[in-house]
Amino acid sequence: MDNLYKKQSLIFKYILYIVAIAFIVFFLPKGGKFKYEFQKGKPWQYDNLYAPFDFSIQKTDAEIAEETQAIERNQLPYYRYDQNIVDDLRAEFQVAFNETWQDIGLRNSQRNRLKNVSEAILDSIYTKGILQNSGKQVQRNFIYLVKENEARKVRVTDFFKINEINELVSSVLAQNNLSSFENETQALFFDLITPNVSFDNSLTKKARDEALSKLSYTRGTVDQGRLIIAKGEVVEAENLKILESLKGEYESELWTANNYYYILIGYTVLVALVLIMLFLFLKKYRKEVYDNNTKVTFIFFNMLLMVFITTMVVKYNDELVFVVPLCILPLILKTFFDARLGLFVHVLAVLILGFVVPNSFEYIFLQIITGIVTILTVSELYKRANLFVSVGQITLIYIIGYLAFHTIHEGDLSDIQWFTFGLFLLNGMITLFVQPLIYIYEKLFGLVSDVSLLELSDTNSKLLKELSNKAPGTFHHSLQVANLAEAAANEIGANAMLVRVGALYHDIGKMNDPTFFTENQITNVNPHDELSPKHSAKIIIDHVIKGIELARKNKIPDRIIDFIRSHHGTTMVYYFYKKQKDLKGDGVNEEDFRYPGPLPFSRETAILMMADSVEAASKSLKDPTFLIIDEFVDKIISGQMKANQFLNADITFKEIETIKKIFKQKLTNIYHLRVEYPE
């Protein structure tokens, strides 16, 4: 159990590694991979390719869509003639005719003659029928008319329309010298006439489906052994379609029950290799990240999230693959870690997605290029303008890359898919949501971004305001240290914002007993005069522990607490040590007068240690000159180096010399040294 406890961090990484592999392999497409890579417009790089088996040449989606549209365009609608409506109308006509003319004094001969003419008009109308106007279905020259269970092709113009009835009535009555009865007859027909030819949706749909079922999705076959493409031949036109058909056939035949486990093992091995590269990179070049399981989990979580989202989008519609904002991955990792780690993880994620997306070479090329642009352009993310500019550059690279590939494939810029440009723009808009995402990650994983550092650097914040009220001298000292440390960090390329915030909070532990620290002593009364040197040393040393407790209570991030913990390293409170030694002799335990550490473990924490010591000790200088400040800074930092305080910090001698130079310049400006003019 003790061994398990000691190795729990390593065991967690093993579990995370296995879960990540299983997750990725589960979402990979369930199909084999064609062993040849080819692109339109590029030469065939392999030996002559012969058909390994008989297969059909598949039509492209565009060809099938065009043929489908042609079938639908040429398909005539079916209309049904309703004889029952005609029979009912004839019966209604007899009643309506008698009611119309019963009160009008007509001779029987006129009445019979008018009735015969009206019946003739009715017969002529319904010989073919009246077409029901149902919108787009009648926008054809011909239709199929189903009458007495027989479908015949007829012209649409052969049918009467409602608005043509009055003209027909007027014409027939005029021919029979009955124009004087025109108004009454027109009114009679207007009330009676009803369309009896209506659209038959079910029959039309059935005929359309039958026609579509005869549509062939292939156009010819390729026999086994036939030469498909020769080495060096350009992949285009006909051989491109044959290659794509062979690829589809090959992958569908490869993914069978017999091959399932072999292909699954192949995918697992490749994904495992990619993820082991990530672990090796972290262990060799980012040891502090590798040792922190929360940070490792954060990296894997973001990587798996991008793989999952991209896979889901591809399964829904592979044409939308570029709408996934993959550049959020390096952007977030650069924000919380560094550019090199962000780019490395981005490249590994893109390699995994090469198994998922169509046209994997184009996708991998574009995503790696845009990832590099993201790393090179995004800086100081807390400045909103920088994010907008970077997203604009990323979108521009996508568009330029797409146009270049389109030119290679098509030979010109015709037939550009403007829809793809819309995807790139949408991708950029989604990328802008990285700001709220960073805030969420800070809360979930306890990480710190530049935005949070900017908020913490506000001297009007609750904790810093309390420090300025309770320990104004310490607060002023912290501001001076922050200015020194920030200038030095900028000069050597360290994280200036981080070291400034660390400097502002490094001495907050002095708030509990402010008068025990010289910078807060207003009068000449020193409370240490009444204490033993050992007790005084304990109070001084305890400001580190109390500062950590206070920071945790106020939910200051661990990244800032590291500065509180390490800003004195394992140095000694030498003044009280020497005082105790003068009292007790040689029997003094050095550990009682030494800070517990740890040593500074980064360039930023090392800079703070130097700046803190130099600024604090500079208060003891009397009549400082250029030479005095120069020797003073060298003495302070050289003493820290001799005490091995920077062994764990990733800082070079050259950088230390640069830091010393900056400190000397800043202290010279602080003390306003001028050339002494003669009287």
Side-chain angles (χ1 to χ4, degrees):
M1 289 300 295
D2 187 49
N3 287 334
L4 285 176
Y5 180 77
K6 290 179 180 178
K7 295 180 180 179
Q8 61 176 330
S9 178
L10 185 61
I11 293 171
F12 176 82
K13 290 181 176 66
Y14 282 132
I15 295 173
L16 181 64
Y17 178 65
I18 293 170
V19 170
I21 293 173
F23 181 88
I24 293 173
V25 172
F26 176 78
F27 283 103
L28 287 178
K30 300 299 184 288
K33 296 292 288 184
F34 192 48
K35 58 183 177 180
Y36 302 108
E37 286 287 339
F38 58 89
Q39 285 184 291
K40 183 180 179 181
K42 295 186 68 177
W44 181 255
Q45 301 293 329
Y46 311 96
D47 292 333
N48 295 354
L49 179 62
Y50 297 91
F53 45 77
D54 297 339
F55 65 92
S56 300
I57 303 174
Q58 302 292 324
K59 293 179 181 177
T60 64
D61 293 339
E63 290 174 331
I64 294 172
E66 185 178 349
E67 291 184 18
T68 301
Q69 290 176 0
I71 290 174
E72 292 179 343
R73 190 167 52 248
N74 297 326
Q75 182 67 34
L76 296 181
Y78 281 79
Y79 281 75
R80 189 171 293 278
Y81 184 95
D82 194 337
Q83 184 62 43
N84 293 330
I85 292 178
V86 178
D87 294 340
D88 293 341
L89 277 175
R90 291 186 187 281
E92 291 178 14
F93 172 77
Q94 300 297 331
V95 176
F97 183 85
N98 292 331
E99 291 177 351
T100 301
W101 301 107
Q102 66 181 353
D103 296 330
I104 300 175
L106 289 177
R107 296 192 301 272
N108 288 334
S109 58
Q110 285 181 316
R111 184 185 182 91
N112 291 333
R113 187 177 168 210
L114 184 59
K115 184 177 181 180
N116 291 333
V117 170
S118 298
E119 288 178 343
I121 293 173
L122 194 64
D123 289 339
S124 65
I125 290 173
Y126 283 104
T127 298
K128 287 194 174 179
I130 297 179
L131 190 66
Q132 184 178 12
N133 188 1
S134 54
K136 63 181 181 179
Q137 292 91 347
V138 295
Q139 303 303 315
R140 304 293 181 98
N141 292 327
F142 292 90
I143 63 170
Y144 283 113
L145 180 63
V146 180
K147 186 177 181 181
E148 297 176 354
N149 293 326
E150 180 183 353
R152 289 179 298 163
K153 185 178 179 181
V154 297
R155 288 182 178 275
V156 174
T157 54
D158 291 343
F159 295 97
F160 279 104
K161 297 182 177 63
I162 295 292
N163 56 9
E164 297 174 347
I165 302 302
N166 287 342
E167 295 179 8
L168 176 65
V169 170
S170 299
S171 174
V172 174
L173 291 178
Q175 292 174 7
N176 290 276
N177 298 320
L178 296 171
S179 296
S180 58
F181 306 108
E182 180 178 332
N183 292 337
E184 292 82 355
T185 306
Q186 285 181 346
L188 172 65
F189 277 94
F190 182 81
D191 294 335
L192 283 177
I193 295 303
T194 304
N196 72 317
V197 177
S198 59
F199 177 67
D200 192 328
N201 183 58
S202 61
L203 192 57
T204 303
K205 185 177 183 300
K206 181 179 179 182
R208 172 185 170 276
D209 293 342
E210 185 177 348
L212 289 176
S213 67
K214 296 177 182 178
L215 174 64
S216 174
Y217 291 87
T218 63
R219 50 183 189 83
T221 58
V222 176
D223 297 329
Q224 183 178 357
R226 171 185 161 184
L227 176 65
I228 296 176
I229 189 169
K231 184 176 182 179
E233 186 179 349
V234 177
V235 178
E236 58 183 358
E238 187 64 24
N239 57 23
L240 174 63
K241 294 176 181 176
I242 295 175
L243 283 171
E244 288 176 341
S245 299
L246 175 60
K247 180 180 178 181
E249 193 76 21
Y250 181 87
E251 291 179 351
S252 63
E253 285 196 2
L254 182 66
W255 193 261
T256 61
N258 295 332
N259 298 332
Y260 179 87
Y261 294 106
Y262 290 105
I263 295 175
L264 207 61
I265 291 171
Y267 274 137
T268 303
V269 170
L270 293 177
V271 173
L273 285 175
V274 171
L275 296 184
I276 199 66
M277 293 302 106
L278 177 55
F279 270 117
L280 291 175
F281 175 84
L282 294 176
K283 187 172 183 179
K284 186 173 179 62
Y285 298 107
R286 297 293 181 272
K287 192 72 168 63
E288 71 283 359
V289 177
Y290 178 81
D291 292 336
N292 189 320
N293 281 342
T294 300
K295 293 180 179 179
V296 174
T297 304
F298 175 75
I299 294 170
F300 270 78
F301 173 79
N302 279 278
M303 190 175 179
L304 296 181
L305 181 63
M306 286 301 165
V307 171
F308 172 74
I309 293 174
T310 305
T311 305
M312 291 297 100
V313 170
V314 170
K315 286 183 178 180
Y316 175 72
N317 186 350
D318 57 16
E319 293 181 356
L320 302 177
V321 65
F322 282 108
V323 82
V324 180
L326 202 64
C327 288
I328 282 182
L329 181 60
L331 211 160
I332 287 176
L333 294 180
K334 182 183 178 182
T335 299
F336 289 116
F337 303 105
D338 60 85
R340 188 178 177 188
L341 175 59
L343 182 60
F344 190 83
V345 175
H346 176 71
V347 170
L348 293 183
V350 171
L351 290 177
I352 291 174
L353 291 174
F355 296 119
V356 178
V357 299
N359 299 322
S360 56
F361 174 78
E362 295 178 20
Y363 181 85
I364 291 173
F365 181 89
L366 280 177
Q367 295 295 3
I368 289 179
I369 290 296
T370 50
I372 293 172
V373 170
T374 302
I375 292 298
L376 294 178
T377 60
V378 174
S379 60
E380 297 179 328
L381 198 60
Y382 58 88
K383 296 181 180 178
R384 290 171 294 181
N386 289 359
L387 179 60
F388 279 95
V389 171
S390 297
V391 168
Q393 292 173 334
I394 292 167
T395 306
L396 182 62
I397 293 298
Y398 271 127
I399 293 174
I400 292 173
Y402 167 75
L403 290 175
F405 275 113
H406 184 83
T407 304
I408 293 172
H409 295 164
E410 304 297 334
D412 54 34
L413 291 176
S414 62
D415 196 27
I416 291 177
Q417 298 293 325
W418 297 104
F419 174 73
T420 307
F421 287 171
L423 295 181
F424 293 145
L425 294 174
L426 185 58
N427 182 306
M429 292 176 63
I430 297 174
T431 305
L432 292 174
F433 283 93
V434 70
Q435 285 282 23
L437 190 60
I438 287 173
Y439 177 79
I440 293 171
Y441 281 151
E442 286 179 333
K443 300 306 177 185
L444 289 177
F445 292 92
L447 301 172
V448 183
S449 69
D450 286 348
V451 180
S452 294
L453 291 177
L454 188 64
E455 293 174 354
L456 289 169
S457 66
D458 183 8
T459 54
N460 287 318
S461 63
K462 179 184 176 183
L463 193 56
L464 291 181
K465 202 139 191 169
E466 187 179 355
L467 176 65
S468 67
N469 291 330
K470 291 183 177 180
T474 300
F475 179 72
H476 183 263
H477 159 72
S478 298
L479 288 176
Q480 296 285 25
V481 172
N483 292 333
L484 286 174
E486 184 180 23
N490 278 322
E491 193 67 23
I492 68 170
N495 191 330
M497 178 69 74
L498 176 64
V499 76
R500 178 176 181 81
V501 175
L504 289 174
Y505 288 87
H506 79 284
D507 269 345
I508 58 173
K510 293 181 179 180
M511 277 194 291
N512 291 337
D513 301 301
T515 56
F516 283 91
F517 301 90
T518 55
E519 67 266 22
N520 298 311
Q521 293 172 0
I522 302 174
T523 63
N524 292 326
V525 178
N526 189 343
H528 288 289
D529 294 340
E530 300 176 4
L531 302 176
S532 67
K534 184 176 180 181
H535 190 187
S536 295
K538 185 177 187 310
I539 292 174
I540 300 297
I541 291 171
D542 281 352
H543 88 272
V544 173
I545 305 299
K546 291 177 180 178
I548 295 171
E549 293 173 352
L550 194 59
R552 292 197 184 282
K553 182 179 178 182
N554 286 271
K555 298 181 180 179
I556 301 298
D558 287 340
R559 204 172 177 189
I560 306 304
I561 294 175
D562 288 338
F563 287 90
I564 302 173
R565 186 183 291 114
S566 63
H567 75 277
H568 283 296
T570 56
T571 57
M572 187 180 293
V573 186
Y574 189 75
Y575 175 82
F576 291 111
Y577 170 72
K578 188 174 184 303
K579 193 174 180 181
Q580 180 74 3
K581 198 171 182 181
D582 292 341
L583 292 174
K584 299 291 184 180
D586 294 333
V588 179
N589 184 5
E590 289 187 8
E591 296 303 316
D592 293 335
F593 297 86
R594 191 178 295 279
Y595 285 97
L599 296 175
F601 50 84
S602 65
R603 290 193 298 175
E604 288 78 13
T605 51
I607 290 171
L608 176 61
M609 185 179 194
M610 289 184 258
D612 181 42
S613 299
V614 166
E615 203 285 329
S618 69
K619 296 292 194 298
S620 63
L621 294 177
K622 296 179 180 179
D623 300 324
T625 63
F626 292 110
L627 290 176
I628 290 175
I629 289 178
D630 186 81
E631 293 176 1
F632 161 76
V633 172
D634 285 337
K635 179 182 177 182
I636 293 292
I637 296 179
S638 295
Q640 291 174 335
M641 293 174 67
K642 287 179 182 178
N644 296 323
Q645 294 300 303
F646 305 134
L647 284 179
N648 295 337
D650 185 18
I651 194 167
T652 64
F653 285 113
K654 182 179 179 181
E655 289 171 339
I656 292 175
E657 289 301 316
T658 303
I659 292 168
K660 286 158 65 174
K661 178 183 175 183
I662 295 297
F663 286 169
K664 292 170 185 178
Q665 291 175 355
K666 289 291 181 181
L667 289 175
T668 299
N669 293 334
I670 289 172
Y671 290 107
H672 303 288
L673 298 181
R674 293 185 178 91
V675 177
E676 185 176 350
Y677 295 100
E679 295 183 0

